[in-house]
Amino acid sequence: MTELMAKIIGVIGGTMLGLIYNPPRTRRGAMQRFAVSVIFGSGCGHLVLWKMSLPETAQNLAFGYGAAAFSAWTALGLARAVLQKIAAAPEK
């Protein structure tokens, strides 16, 4: 149960950090980025721990899942900003 709580805390913490660091402009954008960060953080948290060769303690699980969720939030926000700039650029 402690492992599950650490994962949940990590995913929610990473998502909230993304919300504070890189806030979305619309409510729809916030919901999309929240969903992606929770899914990606839950699915790829162990990859962060494996890549960094960290043992699976509760503290490291929270860190790994939070880092994965924050990375997904930031990547989706940057991708959306780049695509919007490309779409808004005048054609030559």
Side-chain angles (χ1 to χ4, degrees):
M1 188 58 127
T2 304
E3 185 176 308
L4 179 63
M5 289 301 295
K7 292 176 183 179
I8 292 170
I9 289 169
V11 169
I12 291 174
T15 303
M16 292 301 122
L17 183 62
L19 178 65
I20 293 168
Y21 177 70
N22 190 5
R25 292 193 177 115
T26 63
R27 200 176 290 190
R28 181 176 181 220
M31 294 306 294
Q32 288 174 344
R33 286 164 67 178
F34 180 78
V36 167
S37 66
V38 167
I39 292 168
F40 187 79
S42 299
C44 298
H46 277 289
L47 292 176
V48 173
L49 295 176
W50 172 72
K51 186 68 176 167
M52 297 182 73
S53 302
L54 295 173
E56 291 189 16
T57 63
Q59 185 177 12
N60 289 343
L61 283 171
F63 163 74
Y65 280 70
F70 178 69
S71 298
W73 180 279
T74 304
L76 190 60
L78 290 174
R80 177 174 262 187
V82 167
L83 291 174
Q84 286 177 346
K85 284 192 178 194
I86 290 171
E91 294 184 27
K92 293 182 179 181

